[in-house]
Amino acid sequence: MYTYSFEKLEVWNEAKEFAKSIYILTSTFPDSEKFGLISQLRRASVSICSNIAEGSARNSYKDKAHFTTMAFSSAIEVLNQLILSFELNIIIEDDYLKLRQDIESVTNKLNGLRNYQIDKSTEKNK
Protein backbone atom coordinates (compact mmCIF):
# COMPACT_ATOMS: atom_id res chain seq x y z
CA MET A 1 0.00 0.00 0.00
CA TYR A 2 1.27 3.47 -0.90
CA THR A 3 2.19 5.82 1.93
CA TYR A 4 1.40 9.48 1.28
CA SER A 5 3.91 12.13 2.28
CA PHE A 6 1.75 13.53 5.09
CA GLU A 7 1.57 10.08 6.71
CA LYS A 8 5.34 10.25 7.22
CA LEU A 9 5.14 13.54 9.14
CA GLU A 10 5.51 13.24 12.91
CA VAL A 11 3.31 16.30 13.37
CA TRP A 12 0.48 14.73 11.34
CA ASN A 13 0.63 11.52 13.37
CA GLU A 14 0.67 13.48 16.61
CA ALA A 15 -2.26 15.66 15.47
CA LYS A 16 -4.23 12.57 14.42
CA GLU A 17 -3.70 10.96 17.83
CA PHE A 18 -4.69 14.25 19.46
CA ALA A 19 -7.97 14.28 17.49
CA LYS A 20 -8.68 10.74 18.66
CA SER A 21 -8.09 11.85 22.26
CA ILE A 22 -10.57 14.69 21.78
CA TYR A 23 -13.18 12.24 20.45
CA ILE A 24 -12.70 10.00 23.48
CA LEU A 25 -12.82 12.93 25.92
CA THR A 26 -15.92 14.52 24.40
CA SER A 27 -17.80 11.23 24.56
CA THR A 28 -18.01 11.97 28.32
CA PHE A 29 -19.47 15.47 27.86
CA PRO A 30 -23.08 16.15 28.83
CA ASP A 31 -25.69 15.68 26.10
CA SER A 32 -26.47 19.40 26.31
CA GLU A 33 -23.08 20.06 24.63
CA LYS A 34 -23.76 17.78 21.64
CA PHE A 35 -24.17 20.74 19.29
CA GLY A 36 -21.86 23.03 21.25
CA LEU A 37 -18.46 22.15 22.62
CA ILE A 38 -18.55 18.50 21.51
CA SER A 39 -19.11 19.42 17.88
CA GLN A 40 -16.70 22.36 17.95
CA LEU A 41 -13.88 20.44 19.66
CA ARG A 42 -14.20 17.48 17.31
CA ARG A 43 -14.35 19.56 14.15
CA ALA A 44 -11.44 21.80 15.15
CA SER A 45 -9.24 18.89 16.26
CA VAL A 46 -9.87 17.00 13.02
CA SER A 47 -9.12 20.21 11.14
CA ILE A 48 -5.55 20.21 12.51
CA CYS A 49 -4.51 16.91 10.93
CA SER A 50 -6.72 17.48 7.87
CA ASN A 51 -5.03 20.78 7.03
CA ILE A 52 -1.61 19.17 7.40
CA ALA A 53 -2.70 16.44 4.98
CA GLU A 54 -4.29 18.85 2.51
CA GLY A 55 -1.30 21.17 2.57
CA SER A 56 1.04 18.30 1.74
CA ALA A 57 -0.72 17.93 -1.61
CA ARG A 58 -0.12 21.54 -2.64
CA ASN A 59 2.54 22.31 -5.22
CA SER A 60 4.15 25.42 -3.80
CA TYR A 61 5.76 25.85 -0.42
CA LYS A 62 3.77 29.06 -0.01
CA ASP A 63 0.52 27.09 -0.34
CA LYS A 64 1.84 24.40 2.01
CA ALA A 65 2.68 27.09 4.60
CA HIS A 66 -0.85 28.50 4.30
CA PHE A 67 -2.39 25.15 5.28
CA THR A 68 0.14 24.71 8.08
CA THR A 69 -0.96 28.11 9.40
CA MET A 70 -4.60 26.99 9.24
CA ALA A 71 -3.69 23.82 11.18
CA PHE A 72 -1.99 25.99 13.83
CA SER A 73 -5.08 28.21 14.04
CA SER A 74 -7.31 25.16 14.56
CA ALA A 75 -5.05 24.02 17.39
CA ILE A 76 -5.45 27.39 19.09
CA GLU A 77 -9.21 27.13 18.59
CA VAL A 78 -9.15 23.75 20.36
CA LEU A 79 -7.10 25.22 23.20
CA ASN A 80 -9.70 27.97 23.67
CA GLN A 81 -12.49 25.39 23.81
CA LEU A 82 -10.56 23.24 26.28
CA ILE A 83 -10.05 26.26 28.54
CA LEU A 84 -13.80 26.89 28.47
CA SER A 85 -14.53 23.20 29.10
CA PHE A 86 -12.22 23.22 32.11
CA GLU A 87 -13.58 26.48 33.52
CA LEU A 88 -17.14 25.18 33.11
CA ASN A 89 -16.13 22.03 35.05
CA ILE A 90 -16.87 19.76 32.10
CA ILE A 91 -13.36 18.31 32.11
CA ILE A 92 -11.03 17.64 35.01
CA GLU A 93 -7.71 19.39 35.48
CA ASP A 94 -5.61 16.30 34.64
CA ASP A 95 -7.29 15.92 31.23
CA TYR A 96 -7.03 19.65 30.57
CA LEU A 97 -3.32 19.78 31.42
CA LYS A 98 -2.51 16.65 29.37
CA LEU A 99 -4.32 17.97 26.30
CA ARG A 100 -2.76 21.39 26.74
CA GLN A 101 0.69 19.74 26.67
CA ASP A 102 -0.32 17.84 23.54
CA ILE A 103 -1.38 21.08 21.84
CA GLU A 104 1.91 22.71 22.80
CA SER A 105 3.83 19.84 21.21
CA VAL A 106 1.74 19.96 18.01
CA THR A 107 1.96 23.75 17.68
CA ASN A 108 5.73 23.70 18.23
CA LYS A 109 6.09 21.16 15.41
CA LEU A 110 3.71 23.15 13.21
CA ASN A 111 5.82 26.27 13.76
CA GLY A 112 8.93 24.36 12.73
CA LEU A 113 7.21 22.98 9.63
CA ARG A 114 5.85 26.39 8.67
CA ASN A 115 9.26 28.04 9.10
CA TYR A 116 10.78 25.38 6.84
CA GLN A 117 8.05 25.92 4.23
CA ILE A 118 8.47 29.70 4.32
CA ASP A 119 12.25 29.37 3.98
CA LYS A 120 11.79 27.05 0.99
CA SER A 121 9.27 29.40 -0.62
CA THR A 122 11.66 32.36 -0.37
CA GLU A 123 14.60 30.30 -1.70
CA LYS A 124 12.80 29.86 -5.00
CA ASN A 125 12.24 33.61 -5.27
CA LYS A 126 15.94 34.47 -4.92
PDB file of all heavy atoms in Angstrom, residues 38-53:
ATOM      1  N   ILE A  38     -18.902  19.801  22.092  1.00  0.00           N
ATOM      2  CA  ILE A  38     -18.546  18.496  21.511  1.00  0.00           C
ATOM      3  C   ILE A  38     -18.280  18.655  20.017  1.00  0.00           C
ATOM      4  O   ILE A  38     -17.228  18.268  19.510  1.00  0.00           O
ATOM      5  CB  ILE A  38     -19.644  17.438  21.754  1.00  0.00           C
ATOM      6  CG1 ILE A  38     -19.777  17.131  23.243  1.00  0.00           C
ATOM      7  CG2 ILE A  38     -19.348  16.163  20.964  1.00  0.00           C
ATOM      8  CD1 ILE A  38     -20.972  16.249  23.598  1.00  0.00           C
ATOM      9  N   SER A  39     -19.232  19.234  19.328  1.00  0.00           N
ATOM     10  CA  SER A  39     -19.107  19.415  17.879  1.00  0.00           C
ATOM     11  C   SER A  39     -17.916  20.306  17.529  1.00  0.00           C
ATOM     12  O   SER A  39     -17.130  19.987  16.632  1.00  0.00           O
ATOM     13  CB  SER A  39     -20.403  20.023  17.332  1.00  0.00           C
ATOM     14  OG  SER A  39     -20.278  20.297  15.959  1.00  0.00           O
ATOM     15  N   GLN A  40     -17.784  21.410  18.232  1.00  0.00           N
ATOM     16  CA  GLN A  40     -16.697  22.356  17.954  1.00  0.00           C
ATOM     17  C   GLN A  40     -15.323  21.734  18.200  1.00  0.00           C
ATOM     18  O   GLN A  40     -14.415  21.885  17.388  1.00  0.00           O
ATOM     19  CB  GLN A  40     -16.853  23.610  18.809  1.00  0.00           C
ATOM     20  CG  GLN A  40     -17.971  24.523  18.360  1.00  0.00           C
ATOM     21  CD  GLN A  40     -17.686  25.151  17.020  1.00  0.00           C
ATOM     22  OE1 GLN A  40     -18.276  24.789  16.018  1.00  0.00           O
ATOM     23  NE2 GLN A  40     -16.757  26.075  16.979  1.00  0.00           N
ATOM     24  N   LEU A  41     -15.164  21.062  19.332  1.00  0.00           N
ATOM     25  CA  LEU A  41     -13.883  20.436  19.656  1.00  0.00           C
ATOM     26  C   LEU A  41     -13.518  19.359  18.643  1.00  0.00           C
ATOM     27  O   LEU A  41     -12.370  19.264  18.205  1.00  0.00           O
ATOM     28  CB  LEU A  41     -13.914  19.834  21.068  1.00  0.00           C
ATOM     29  CG  LEU A  41     -13.632  20.796  22.206  1.00  0.00           C
ATOM     30  CD1 LEU A  41     -14.111  20.234  23.531  1.00  0.00           C
ATOM     31  CD2 LEU A  41     -12.140  21.107  22.260  1.00  0.00           C
ATOM     32  N   ARG A  42     -14.471  18.561  18.271  1.00  0.00           N
ATOM     33  CA  ARG A  42     -14.202  17.480  17.314  1.00  0.00           C
ATOM     34  C   ARG A  42     -13.837  18.043  15.946  1.00  0.00           C
ATOM     35  O   ARG A  42     -12.860  17.613  15.329  1.00  0.00           O
ATOM     36  CB  ARG A  42     -15.401  16.535  17.218  1.00  0.00           C
ATOM     37  CG  ARG A  42     -15.545  15.675  18.459  1.00  0.00           C
ATOM     38  CD  ARG A  42     -16.742  14.750  18.382  1.00  0.00           C
ATOM     39  NE  ARG A  42     -16.761  13.852  19.542  1.00  0.00           N
ATOM     40  CZ  ARG A  42     -17.640  12.864  19.691  1.00  0.00           C
ATOM     41  NH1 ARG A  42     -18.566  12.650  18.778  1.00  0.00           N
ATOM     42  NH2 ARG A  42     -17.571  12.106  20.766  1.00  0.00           N
ATOM     43  N   ARG A  43     -14.614  18.995  15.473  1.00  0.00           N
ATOM     44  CA  ARG A  43     -14.347  19.560  14.152  1.00  0.00           C
ATOM     45  C   ARG A  43     -12.995  20.267  14.109  1.00  0.00           C
ATOM     46  O   ARG A  43     -12.223  20.108  13.162  1.00  0.00           O
ATOM     47  CB  ARG A  43     -15.471  20.515  13.745  1.00  0.00           C
ATOM     48  CG  ARG A  43     -16.735  19.761  13.337  1.00  0.00           C
ATOM     49  CD  ARG A  43     -17.948  20.643  13.017  1.00  0.00           C
ATOM     50  NE  ARG A  43     -17.664  21.845  12.284  1.00  0.00           N
ATOM     51  CZ  ARG A  43     -17.870  23.082  12.742  1.00  0.00           C
ATOM     52  NH1 ARG A  43     -18.378  23.280  13.925  1.00  0.00           N
ATOM     53  NH2 ARG A  43     -17.610  24.121  11.994  1.00  0.00           N
ATOM     54  N   ALA A  44     -12.698  21.055  15.138  1.00  0.00           N
ATOM     55  CA  ALA A  44     -11.438  21.804  15.154  1.00  0.00           C
ATOM     56  C   ALA A  44     -10.238  20.868  15.297  1.00  0.00           C
ATOM     57  O   ALA A  44      -9.196  21.093  14.673  1.00  0.00           O
ATOM     58  CB  ALA A  44     -11.452  22.838  16.277  1.00  0.00           C
ATOM     59  N   SER A  45     -10.371  19.814  16.095  1.00  0.00           N
ATOM     60  CA  SER A  45      -9.240  18.891  16.260  1.00  0.00           C
ATOM     61  C   SER A  45      -8.983  18.096  14.986  1.00  0.00           C
ATOM     62  O   SER A  45      -7.824  17.883  14.604  1.00  0.00           O
ATOM     63  CB  SER A  45      -9.461  17.955  17.451  1.00  0.00           C
ATOM     64  OG  SER A  45     -10.533  17.069  17.235  1.00  0.00           O
ATOM     65  N   VAL A  46     -10.031  17.691  14.295  1.00  0.00           N
ATOM     66  CA  VAL A  46      -9.868  16.998  13.017  1.00  0.00           C
ATOM     67  C   VAL A  46      -9.278  17.948  11.977  1.00  0.00           C
ATOM     68  O   VAL A  46      -8.492  17.541  11.114  1.00  0.00           O
ATOM     69  CB  VAL A  46     -11.207  16.396  12.539  1.00  0.00           C
ATOM     70  CG1 VAL A  46     -11.135  15.919  11.108  1.00  0.00           C
ATOM     71  CG2 VAL A  46     -11.627  15.263  13.459  1.00  0.00           C
ATOM     72  N   SER A  47      -9.628  19.211  12.076  1.00  0.00           N
ATOM     73  CA  SER A  47      -9.120  20.214  11.142  1.00  0.00           C
ATOM     74  C   SER A  47      -7.598  20.340  11.212  1.00  0.00           C
ATOM     75  O   SER A  47      -6.945  20.625  10.202  1.00  0.00           O
ATOM     76  CB  SER A  47      -9.780  21.563  11.435  1.00  0.00           C
ATOM     77  OG  SER A  47      -9.313  22.542  10.555  1.00  0.00           O
ATOM     78  N   ILE A  48      -7.006  20.102  12.379  1.00  0.00           N
ATOM     79  CA  ILE A  48      -5.554  20.213  12.510  1.00  0.00           C
ATOM     80  C   ILE A  48      -4.875  19.208  11.589  1.00  0.00           C
ATOM     81  O   ILE A  48      -4.093  19.584  10.703  1.00  0.00           O
ATOM     82  CB  ILE A  48      -5.101  19.990  13.978  1.00  0.00           C
ATOM     83  CG1 ILE A  48      -5.741  21.004  14.923  1.00  0.00           C
ATOM     84  CG2 ILE A  48      -3.573  20.066  14.068  1.00  0.00           C
ATOM     85  CD1 ILE A  48      -5.588  20.645  16.404  1.00  0.00           C
ATOM     86  N   CYS A  49      -5.173  17.930  11.761  1.00  0.00           N
ATOM     87  CA  CYS A  49      -4.512  16.914  10.932  1.00  0.00           C
ATOM     88  C   CYS A  49      -4.985  16.973   9.475  1.00  0.00           C
ATOM     89  O   CYS A  49      -4.204  16.687   8.556  1.00  0.00           O
ATOM     90  CB  CYS A  49      -4.654  15.521  11.524  1.00  0.00           C
ATOM     91  SG  CYS A  49      -6.313  14.974  11.924  1.00  0.00           S
ATOM     92  N   SER A  50      -6.220  17.377   9.243  1.00  0.00           N
ATOM     93  CA  SER A  50      -6.723  17.479   7.868  1.00  0.00           C
ATOM     94  C   SER A  50      -6.003  18.576   7.083  1.00  0.00           C
ATOM     95  O   SER A  50      -5.679  18.388   5.900  1.00  0.00           O
ATOM     96  CB  SER A  50      -8.229  17.762   7.866  1.00  0.00           C
ATOM     97  OG  SER A  50      -8.932  16.677   8.411  1.00  0.00           O
ATOM     98  N   ASN A  51      -5.746  19.709   7.723  1.00  0.00           N
ATOM     99  CA  ASN A  51      -5.028  20.784   7.034  1.00  0.00           C
ATOM    100  C   ASN A  51      -3.573  20.407   6.759  1.00  0.00           C
ATOM    101  O   ASN A  51      -3.024  20.789   5.727  1.00  0.00           O
ATOM    102  CB  ASN A  51      -5.104  22.086   7.826  1.00  0.00           C
ATOM    103  CG  ASN A  51      -6.390  22.815   7.549  1.00  0.00           C
ATOM    104  OD1 ASN A  51      -6.687  23.156   6.414  1.00  0.00           O
ATOM    105  ND2 ASN A  51      -7.172  23.049   8.581  1.00  0.00           N
ATOM    106  N   ILE A  52      -2.966  19.653   7.659  1.00  0.00           N
ATOM    107  CA  ILE A  52      -1.607  19.169   7.399  1.00  0.00           C
ATOM    108  C   ILE A  52      -1.623  18.265   6.169  1.00  0.00           C
ATOM    109  O   ILE A  52      -0.788  18.413   5.262  1.00  0.00           O
ATOM    110  CB  ILE A  52      -1.048  18.411   8.620  1.00  0.00           C
ATOM    111  CG1 ILE A  52      -0.898  19.347   9.821  1.00  0.00           C
ATOM    112  CG2 ILE A  52       0.287  17.755   8.278  1.00  0.00           C
ATOM    113  CD1 ILE A  52      -0.665  18.635  11.146  1.00  0.00           C
ATOM    114  N   ALA A  53      -2.585  17.353   6.118  1.00  0.00           N
ATOM    115  CA  ALA A  53      -2.695  16.438   4.984  1.00  0.00           C
ATOM    116  C   ALA A  53      -2.973  17.200   3.684  1.00  0.00           C
ATOM    117  O   ALA A  53      -2.308  16.978   2.668  1.00  0.00           O
ATOM    118  CB  ALA A  53      -3.797  15.413   5.245  1.00  0.00           C
TER     119      ALA A  53
END
